Amino acid sequence: MNRVRIVLLGALALGVPALAQAQSSQFGVRGLGLPSFPFSIRTQGSGGAGGLFDPASAVNPASLFLVTRPIASFNLIQNWRSSENRYGTATGNDTQFPLFIAGGQISRRLSGGVSASVYADRTFSLATEDSVELRGIPTAVFDTLESRGGLSDLRFAAAYRGDGVAFGLGFHLMTGTNRLAYRRVFDDSSYARVESLAELSFIGVGLSAGVIVAPNDHLLIGATARWDGDLSMELDTLSNGKLPLPVTLSGGIQWTPSARLTVGGHVIRQAWSKLDQPLKDRGGSGADNSLSASAGFELARSARTLDRFPLRMGIRWASLPFPLEDGLAQGSEFGVSAGTGYAFGGGRGVLDLALERIWRQQDSGFSEKAFAIKLGVTIRQ
Amino acid sequence: MRSLRWLVLGVLLAGCEQELTVPGHCPEFCPSGQPKVFEIVLPAAASSDSSFFGYLGYSEVPALLVSDGLPAGEARSWYRFFSVPDSILVRDTLRPYTVDSIAVILTLIARDSTKKGLVFDLYRIPVTTDTTTSFEALNGELTPTSWIDSMPVPDSVQRGSVRRVFTGASLDRFVIPASDSGKHALGIRVRGPGPTGARISSLASSTGTASFVTYARVAVADTTLQKHTLSQTPEAAGFVRTSNGGQDPDLLYVGDLPAGRTILRFELPAVVRDSGTLLRVTLELQPARPMTGLANDAASLEVRGVDKDLGAKSTPLFARGGGVDLPEGSSATVSVDVIGIVDLWTLPQPPASMLYVGLRPEGGSFHRPVFHSTRSGSGAPQLRITYLVPAPLEKP
């Protein structure tokens, strides 16, 4: 047991700082960035469909009721992306460590867990070219604005297992930093290059509650509600005001018609519009409510080897809360995913792999195609 | 488990290199404010700019000047060589010798490479010539009666040794009067088809100095011991120039000899010091007269920062500086980028906000620029500062 505790704590300690590296996208430039949901790679293989019922995901605290022995899991995602907007095109890649989660059974009916995940990601780099008049001569300038980091979500949760029903509660500590770097280089090398650095840090708290009901042996129905308080911000240790965070509501269903097949889906709504005016007051382009939906399935090769290379497939769609420019229609993303998994060491270790093709779009001006390879490692006692 | 470890390691390594950049455009797709660029002209602090002289003595000059008809002024050089012995030690006996030939070797440091037919004229001058000798006094000694001979400089030689060997009757011109204690003193003029000049080696030159070589023959039976070479280097050397018009306290001087340097002081505005990011800082000096030198022989204005303001004894900071080659014959404003120095003035514990202006090569250049000061009425030294005030980075 001690070894397990050490492994779990070590994994968490290593994982929290690594969350700083995250997914880069032009759709994360505005507002708090690109929202992210803490689904395990197993779940992401089926489009995130079973996320409300997965103990290795951190969306529904009630899902921890399935944890009957110590478990630790982390996600690793490599993205390749091709971005296009009305100012040009670019390709890029980045690595994301979006989720670490650990849990265990506290008593016969009570389980608990802690997770660290990405709530919203603001990793991007924007390059612009312009001309300014210096000493009466038009001079080309090349600007780069780079942001690394985002908002992380540290959740402490517990779930109570009843007869045919489970409840869960979570306490969320929202922390994070955006390390911002502005660089300007002049075409005329007589002028010195400019570099300006700033660090925007966040802190806030939230609460979440979830329930999972099992009307029969083949069906799970889940729902969550999450409330987050105001997010306090500091810019280089000086107070930078507060931003309200959205209420998040979600509901999902998982149907297991046979031992080999699981089908599911969920819907998540986030009330980001409460940030609209505060962001505009800060010179931003506002925010809209967002909706996310997914559906998918997992098909095992046989009822006896559920964890040996099952086939997972799914789709997801989400509207994006932050317009990239003033007056643009709300953006969206659509993903198609497939995945599988492999249990080893007598089921003590599970390796999950998922591939996802993602399309993001906002109006006709901004689009992005991304391909992601996702690896999840789960260790159980 | 081994395959798992390799897979995790592989994916981790794949993620080590990230490429994040996408094109943006301000202000539409640009989550930050727009930085603003400003430009100010900052005159030197009134009456705190001044020139000081004597930083380099005659014995330290890196080159001697000779000229003929240059707008930069007339210059003549001289060498006084160590004594030539009147006997040579052969087989433990000091023996008299006869002179077979004499060679005079000068080292050319720079010339106007576009002018052909450069000739040095050698004159015998009094061995009493020294660094107190005026231009008029030395020039008065360079007469047809003291003329020894000329040394044509091959057109192909831009720098290096120039040698002339004297034999036969011309050796009579090198006979040393008894009162000169065996010393030769030579005055050097230069001439060409038109106005021209040259820089030749001094005692402090890194290229080696002049030589006076005597090829002697001793009357002994052993023919292998008959020939001897006596080589003398200068014990003193210098040059004289026509006057630069005196030292006007309302003007700023750089270079010449004894070498002059100029000190400028500035008060950096608080908005620049505290809020601005310097983009370019240019020191602008307005010449009080056309800057004349030797064509195709560059001299540069050297600007340095100063740690502590100790007036004329302030020590330049050699880590930060700026410089610019002086244009020949121009009266245009001289501009030197000095952002590397002025940037230090914005530090929490800044050095003196002071600039130290000198000439390179110091003391051995035809250039001796003169600039207007804050007391000149117009054309005072000034800093042209272009700076940027950053915009707030965060505009979500």
Side-chain angles (χ1 to χ4, degrees):
Chain A
M1 190 64 184
N2 283 339
R3 278 183 63 190
V4 173
R5 283 183 184 143
I6 290 168
V7 168
L8 298 185
L9 289 173
L12 196 62
L14 286 170
V16 172
L19 287 170
Q21 291 189 41
Q23 181 178 211
S24 161
S25 169
Q26 63 177 340
F27 288 86
V29 167
R30 292 293 192 185
L32 293 179
L34 190 64
S36 175
F37 296 110
F39 292 126
S40 68
I41 299 302
R42 173 182 179 173
T43 303
Q44 291 190 43
S46 54
L52 267 62
F53 313 98
D54 176 20
S57 299
V59 177
N60 184 0
S63 64
L64 284 169
F65 88 94
L66 289 169
V67 175
T68 55
R69 51 182 177 162
I71 182 175
S73 178
F74 74 89
N75 291 2
L76 191 158
I77 299 177
Q78 174 70 34
N79 294 289
W80 289 270
R81 138 198 107 255
S82 171
S83 306
E84 185 173 344
N85 61 40
R86 62 191 61 159
Y87 314 112
T89 60
T91 58
N93 63 81
D94 55 83
T95 307
Q96 187 180 18
F97 301 91
L99 173 64
F100 290 80
I101 188 166
Q105 192 171 33
I106 300 169
S107 66
R108 191 174 68 86
R109 289 188 176 273
L110 195 62
S111 298
V114 59
S115 65
S117 60
V118 173
Y119 183 86
D121 190 340
R122 281 196 82 204
T123 299
F124 63 85
S125 176
L126 279 182
T128 63
E129 186 176 345
D130 203 349
S131 177
V132 296
E133 189 168 295
L134 297 173
R135 301 187 179 184
I137 299 171
T139 305
V141 296
F142 306 94
D143 291 353
T144 306
L145 177 68
E146 186 176 281
S147 167
R148 286 178 182 264
L151 189 55
S152 299
D153 176 12
L154 189 62
R155 187 192 74 168
F156 303 89
Y160 177 80
R161 180 171 43 253
D163 295 328
V165 65
F167 304 96
L169 287 174
F171 170 77
H172 299 261
L173 182 63
M174 318 285 286
T175 64
T177 55
N178 268 178
R179 286 173 298 282
L180 302 159
Y182 166 80
R183 297 183 183 88
R184 168 169 281 190
V185 178
F186 295 87
D187 191 36
D188 182 345
S189 60
S190 306
Y191 293 90
R193 58 181 297 166
V194 177
E195 182 174 70
S196 181
L197 304 174
E199 186 166 291
L200 189 67
S201 54
F202 314 95
I203 191 157
V205 294
L207 294 171
S208 62
V211 61
I212 294 176
V213 179
N216 56 52
D217 290 345
H218 303 286
L219 191 63
L220 292 176
I221 299 171
T224 66
R226 174 171 174 171
W227 168 89
D228 292 304
D230 288 347
L231 191 65
S232 298
M233 298 190 294
E234 284 190 350
L235 187 62
D236 293 333
T237 73
L238 294 176
S239 175
N240 194 36
K242 295 183 176 182
L243 280 177
L245 288 175
V247 170
T248 303
L249 299 174
S250 60
I253 187 166
Q254 183 170 288
W255 180 46
T256 311
S258 74
R260 290 179 57 206
L261 180 63
T262 303
V263 181
H266 72 244
V267 175
I268 301 175
R269 183 184 185 276
Q270 289 187 292
W272 286 103
S273 61
K274 65 194 294 190
L275 276 79
D276 187 53
Q277 198 55 47
L279 287 176
K280 285 177 176 170
D281 292 343
R282 289 168 171 267
S285 54
D288 296 313
N289 292 333
S290 69
L291 189 68
S292 171
S294 76
F297 69 88
E298 177 177 314
L299 178 65
R301 295 167 67 199
S302 74
R304 288 186 301 170
T305 56
L306 294 177
D307 286 341
R308 294 286 175 99
F309 302 115
L311 173 64
R312 299 168 187 145
M313 293 190 76
I315 58 171
R316 67 181 179 92
W317 175 89
S319 55
L320 300 174
F322 304 113
L324 297 183
E325 290 183 3
D326 295 339
L328 289 187
Q330 192 168 15
S332 64
E333 68 176 342
F334 177 72
V336 177
S337 56
T340 188
Y342 177 73
F344 53 91
R348 284 194 166 87
V350 180
L351 190 64
D352 292 301
L353 185 70
L355 309 175
E356 185 175 26
R357 179 69 167 163
I358 306 159
W359 293 265
R360 298 188 182 100
Q361 179 88 28
Q362 185 158 69
D363 262 353
S364 57
F366 294 85
S367 64
E368 195 165 82
K369 294 174 184 173
F371 179 73
I373 294 181
K374 306 178 179 187
L375 179 70
V377 178
T378 303
I379 300 169
R380 295 185 290 222
Q381 190 184 27
Chain B
M1 283 300 282
R2 180 172 295 179
S3 59
L4 170 67
R5 282 199 293 266
W6 282 112
L7 182 58
V8 171
L9 182 64
V11 177
L12 282 171
L13 288 175
C16 286
E17 189 175 330
Q18 299 198 97
E19 175 53 55
L20 308 178
T21 305
V22 294
H25 193 265
C26 289
E28 297 89 349
F29 186 40
C30 183
S32 71
Q34 284 288 284
K36 291 196 169 97
V37 176
F38 299 91
E39 181 180 318
I40 59 166
V41 172
L42 180 67
S47 296
S48 67
D49 51 339
S50 42
S51 296
F52 300 92
F53 300 89
Y55 289 96
L56 201 68
Y58 283 92
S59 62
E60 300 160 305
V61 294
L64 307 181
L65 308 181
V66 282
S67 66
D68 180 40
L70 277 185
E74 292 292 326
R76 313 283 184 262
S77 293
W78 57 269
Y79 294 103
R80 187 176 69 235
F81 295 93
F82 285 105
S83 299
V84 180
D86 57 1
S87 55
I88 299 173
L89 187 66
V90 179
R91 285 190 173 161
D92 300 332
T93 304
L94 283 170
R95 301 168 194 268
Y97 62 85
T98 57
V99 176
D100 276 354
S101 61
I102 286 173
V104 175
I105 302 169
L106 302 180
T107 301
L108 183 66
I109 293 176
R111 62 185 283 187
D112 180 353
S113 56
T114 62
K115 296 284 175 62
K116 310 293 185 188
L118 191 71
V119 175
F120 291 128
D121 283 314
L122 308 182
Y123 295 84
R124 173 181 290 283
I125 58 172
V127 294
T128 53
T129 302
D130 60 18
T131 55
T132 63
T133 303
S134 67
F135 174 84
E136 289 73 19
L138 179 62
N139 199 46
E141 296 290 342
L142 310 184
T143 62
T145 56
S146 64
W147 184 73
I148 297 173
D149 211 329
S150 59
M151 291 177 63
V153 180
D155 293 340
S156 60
V157 176
Q158 300 302 317
R159 54 189 301 137
S161 294
V162 181
R163 175 188 168 100
R164 173 75 197 271
V165 178
F166 301 91
T167 56
S170 61
L171 293 177
D172 296 343
R173 300 170 198 156
F174 290 99
V175 174
I176 303 171
S179 58
D180 286 353
S181 306
K183 293 182 178 177
H184 288 286
L186 300 179
I188 315 291
R189 283 190 68 149
V190 73
R191 60 185 160 87
T196 191
R199 292 194 289 134
I200 56 178
S201 61
S202 67
L203 295 182
S205 295
S206 58
T207 53
T209 186
S211 296
F212 187 97
V213 184
T214 304
Y215 298 99
R217 184 182 295 274
V218 179
V220 290
D222 186 348
T223 56
T224 63
L225 298 174
Q226 287 177 355
K227 291 182 179 178
H228 294 266
T229 301
L230 305 171
S231 185
Q232 264 64 47
T233 56
E235 64 173 15
F239 71 91
V240 288
R241 297 181 76 176
T242 48
S243 168
N244 196 25
Q247 292 170 1
D248 183 343
D250 289 343
L251 295 176
L252 301 173
Y253 296 85
V254 176
D256 210 352
L257 205 68
R261 297 177 187 174
T262 287
I263 284 172
L264 308 169
R265 296 177 176 88
F266 295 89
E267 292 291 336
L268 203 60
V271 66
V272 178
R273 194 176 55 240
D274 300 336
S275 310
T277 300
L278 296 175
L279 299 179
R280 188 178 184 184
V281 184
T282 309
L283 172 66
E284 296 180 341
L285 297 169
Q286 184 63 49
R289 59 186 71 151
M291 285 176 297
T292 52
L294 177 63
N296 302 303
D297 177 29
S300 59
L301 206 63
E302 186 179 55
V303 184
R304 301 235 166 249
V306 168
D307 188 16
K308 287 187 169 52
D309 187 351
L310 302 174
K313 294 189 175 180
S314 304
T315 304
L317 288 171
F318 286 97
R320 299 284 187 108
V324 65
D325 283 350
L326 293 174
E328 170 64 19
S330 171
S331 296
T333 301
V334 176
S335 300
V336 187
D337 281 328
V338 291
I339 186 171
I341 303 169
V342 178
D343 208 25
L344 297 174
W345 302 351
T346 64
L347 295 176
Q349 293 182 316
S353 54
M354 177 175 162
L355 296 177
Y356 209 75
V357 185
L359 191 71
R360 182 173 290 268
E362 188 169 51
S365 168
F366 283 99
H367 277 282
R368 40 187 176 185
V370 182
F371 299 104
H372 288 293
S373 74
T374 57
R375 299 169 294 282
S376 302
S378 65
Q382 61 187 28
L383 288 176
R384 187 172 296 276
I385 301 175
T386 307
Y387 66 99
L388 176 144
V389 175
L393 287 184
E394 177 58 15
K395 199 175 77 171

